[in-house]
């Protein structure tokens, strides 16, 4: 008999730390309308037109994993994606990864769930899958799975930007999975079980834990602060911007590329280390001039409220202020839906925290949206003295899983 994590939770009357404060709301992914905040009692819907975890209000915890495919057998890869989908469907509903669960299976066999989430609710878990360029053709030019002619132009490699210090070992990958949850154990449990199921087919290339989301994806959420102490992502695209904006800026449209990507999006990841020890010795006035916002309120320089429109035509905001260089009006109206997280990966052995921002941004076309924005920032932003980009990734995020008979990647492999 399978053990339901949610039944255990209800019977024991326990929950994950901090989840009591999470608001309650129903979710629907069948259209572009704004979604209510995920909750413990109502898991995020797994099926929908688009994958959950994009416009879904971002919870506080992240476990992001990038995988290398090690099998050369296409059927094995498809079978794994089907198995992943079944497990993801269960785990996002607050259940064990497999039907037998962590403790109800035969004692002579390994359990089909690792068990560390027993007693924990779904905690707003979303699992979002993406495919990297090397899945379609390896760096050596090999088409392992007969997918080369299905590679979208939007997956062309990102260019090298000035000051990039990219570590290939923590960049790219054939497949990525983003796990977001209000409970770090739930997010880690989800990735761990996908790794377990994928044994022999994929290996983890790199992964990243994140906390304290650094952007809001819904107007229902307060704008969070990054490791520099500033509100981050005030101008971020929000779910409430409406279907027209999301269609133009976020979702891949018919004719944009191969049909299998219609309804999907493109995800850019960048690990950005903050030299916080230097930043912390910089005066408040200089910090605010660099960002172009007041540190306390988050308002543009010279304005009173966070969401006041910055007066870019005036000289109160420096010509090279971050807010000016990144503003949509500087890039033909290009917007990003950011979903990044803070990270602290211990220290670097030199007495400095290895901390910063794990930047994630969804968009319709990274080469028309992220690339021109980042190129300008890399060339002119005075913030570059305090940050360093150390990893980079670009992934094609397919549309959502339609029903119980569908699976991650079906439009690509079917």
């Amino acid at each position: 008999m399978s053990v339901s994590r949610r039944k255990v939770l209800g019977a024991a009357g326990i929950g994950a730390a901090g989840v009591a404060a999470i608001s309650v709301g129903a979710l629907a992914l069948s259209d572009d309308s704004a979604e209510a905040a995920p909750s413990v009692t109502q898991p995020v819907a797994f099926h929908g037109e688009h994958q959950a975890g994009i416009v879904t209000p971002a919870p506080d915890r992240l476990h992001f994993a990038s995988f290398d495919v090690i099998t050369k057998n296409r059927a094995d890869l498809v079978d794994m994606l089907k198995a992943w989908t079944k497990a993801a469907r269960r785990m996002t509903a607050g259940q064990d990864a497999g039907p037998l669960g962590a403790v109800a299976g035969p004692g002579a066999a390994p359990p089909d769930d690792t068990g560390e989430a027993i007693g924990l609710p779904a905690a707003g878990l979303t699992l979002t899958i993406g495919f990297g360029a090397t899945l379609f053709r390896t760096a050596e030019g090999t088409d392992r799975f007969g997918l080369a002619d299905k590679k979208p132009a939007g997956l062309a490699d990102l260019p090298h930007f000035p000051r990039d210090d990219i570590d290939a070992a923590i960049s790219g990958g054939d497949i990525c999975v983003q796990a977001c949850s209000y409970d770090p154990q739930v997010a880690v449990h989800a990735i761990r079980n996908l790794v377990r199921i994928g044994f022999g087919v994929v290996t983890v290339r790199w992964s990243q834990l994140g906390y304290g989301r650094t952007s809001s994806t819904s107007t229902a959420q307060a704008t969070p602060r990054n490791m520099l102490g500033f509100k981050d992502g005030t101008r971020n695209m929000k779910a409430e911007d409406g279907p027209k904006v999301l269609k133009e800026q976020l979702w891949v449209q018919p004719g944009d590329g191969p049909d299998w990507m219609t309804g999907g999006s493109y995800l850019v990841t960048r690990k950005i280390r903050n030299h916080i020890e230097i930043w912390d010795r910089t005066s408040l006035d200089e910090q605010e001039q660099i960002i172009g916002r007041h540190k306390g309120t988050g308002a543009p320089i010279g304005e009173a409220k966070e969401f006041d429109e910055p007066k870019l035509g005036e000289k109160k905001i420096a010509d090279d202020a971050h807010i000016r260089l990144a503003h949509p009006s500087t890039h033909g109206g290009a917007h990003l839906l950011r979903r990044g997280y803070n990270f602290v990966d211990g220290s670097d052995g030199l007495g400095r925290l290895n901390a910063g921002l794990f930047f994630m941004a969804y968009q319709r076309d990274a080469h028309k949206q992220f690339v021109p924005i980042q190129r300008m920032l890399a060339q002119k932003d005075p913030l570059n003295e305090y940050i360093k980009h150390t990893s980079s990734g670009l992934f094609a995020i397919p549309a959502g899983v339609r029903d119980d008979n569908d699976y991650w990647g079906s439009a690509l492999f079917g």
Side-chain angles (χ1 to χ4, degrees):
M1 176 180 178
S2 175
V3 177
S4 165
R5 282 166 39 192
R6 293 165 64 189
K7 287 182 179 178
V8 172
L9 173 73
I14 58 176
V19 296
I22 300 170
S23 60
V24 176
L27 298 169
L29 298 180
S30 58
D31 55 37
D32 291 329
S33 60
E35 304 169 17
S39 72
V40 172
T41 55
Q42 290 181 292
V44 177
F46 182 71
H47 297 146
E49 180 180 2
H50 310 292
Q51 290 195 66
I54 302 176
V55 296
T56 311
D60 293 329
R61 300 289 180 159
L62 167 77
H63 192 183
F64 188 95
S66 175
F67 298 86
D68 287 333
V69 178
I70 57 174
T71 184
K72 297 180 180 179
N73 188 310
R74 174 178 169 132
D76 288 346
L77 176 57
V78 171
D79 286 346
M80 186 208 70
L81 290 170
K82 290 179 178 178
W84 270 12
T85 307
K86 290 180 180 178
R89 185 181 290 119
R90 293 181 57 85
M91 290 189 289
T92 54
Q95 300 173 334
D96 288 326
L100 296 177
V103 297
D112 63 12
D113 184 282
T114 51
E116 71 270 32
I118 291 177
L120 300 180
L125 175 68
T126 59
L127 291 167
T128 312
I129 195 169
F131 303 121
T134 50
L135 181 68
F136 298 83
R137 192 184 292 279
T138 66
E140 293 75 30
T142 303
D143 179 8
R144 294 172 289 174
F145 307 112
L147 299 174
D149 61 349
K150 293 187 175 182
K151 178 186 173 183
L155 262 187
D157 290 344
L158 296 176
H160 176 85
F161 299 102
R163 298 183 176 84
D164 269 0
D165 188 14
I166 303 301
D167 182 351
I170 54 172
S171 298
D174 296 330
I175 301 175
C176 76
V177 177
Q178 168 198 284
C180 295
S181 173
Y182 284 100
D183 189 320
Q185 182 105 329
V186 169
V188 169
H189 166 264
I191 294 295
R192 178 183 175 187
N193 276 275
L194 296 182
V195 172
R196 177 183 57 79
I197 294 168
F199 181 78
V201 180
V202 295
T203 59
V204 177
R205 179 178 177 86
W206 56 274
S207 68
Q208 182 65 53
L209 294 172
Y211 72 95
R213 59 180 175 80
T214 59
S215 296
S216 54
T217 54
S218 168
T219 56
Q221 297 179 304
T223 307
R225 293 183 184 272
N226 56 28
M227 293 294 287
L228 303 178
F230 279 78
K231 287 180 175 288
D232 199 349
T234 295
R235 293 287 305 180
N236 193 39
M237 185 164 40
K238 305 287 198 300
E240 291 83 356
D241 287 342
K244 182 176 184 298
V245 172
L246 300 187
K247 179 179 179 181
E248 292 176 352
Q249 303 281 340
L250 180 62
W251 304 124
V252 175
Q253 297 299 305
D256 283 354
D259 291 342
W260 70 268
M261 269 300 292
T262 299
S265 190
Y266 288 95
L267 170 64
V268 171
T269 66
R270 305 279 287 186
K271 187 172 185 178
I272 306 172
R273 181 172 176 179
N274 294 171
H275 301 307
I276 55 178
E277 292 80 6
I278 302 174
W279 180 257
D280 292 345
R281 294 196 294 272
T282 303
S283 72
L284 175 60
D285 287 346
E286 185 174 351
Q287 290 183 6
E288 292 186 334
Q289 286 298 318
I290 290 171
I291 301 297
R293 290 187 179 276
H294 296 292
K295 195 169 188 176
T297 62
I301 296 295
E303 308 303 322
K305 299 179 180 177
E306 178 192 352
F307 292 99
D308 288 346
E309 189 64 25
K311 294 184 173 58
L312 300 179
E314 301 178 1
K315 290 297 183 183
K316 294 177 182 177
I317 298 176
D319 289 343
D320 59 357
H322 182 82
I323 187 177
R324 182 189 295 278
L325 299 178
H327 197 273
S329 65
T330 309
H331 304 281
H335 285 72
L336 303 174
L337 189 142
R338 292 179 51 189
R339 202 181 168 90
Y341 286 81
N342 292 320
F343 73 85
V344 177
D345 292 346
S347 59
D348 63 3
L350 299 174
R352 303 174 301 190
L353 290 175
N354 183 0
L357 165 67
F358 186 66
F359 171 96
M360 297 191 295
Y362 289 89
Q363 62 240 271
R364 179 178 173 183
D365 188 333
H367 291 274
K368 295 179 179 177
Q369 295 169 253
F370 170 78
V371 169
I373 296 171
Q374 179 54 30
R375 182 175 286 125
M376 181 171 288
L377 291 172
Q379 292 172 343
K380 299 181 178 180
D381 193 348
L383 190 60
N384 290 322
E385 181 179 347
Y386 305 93
I387 64 175
K388 180 170 66 175
H389 289 236
T390 61
S391 84
S392 182
L394 172 61
F395 299 94
I397 309 298
V401 174
R402 299 284 180 171
D403 53 39
D404 287 345
N405 296 317
D406 197 7
Y407 67 94
W408 277 340
S410 61
L412 173 61
F413 288 92

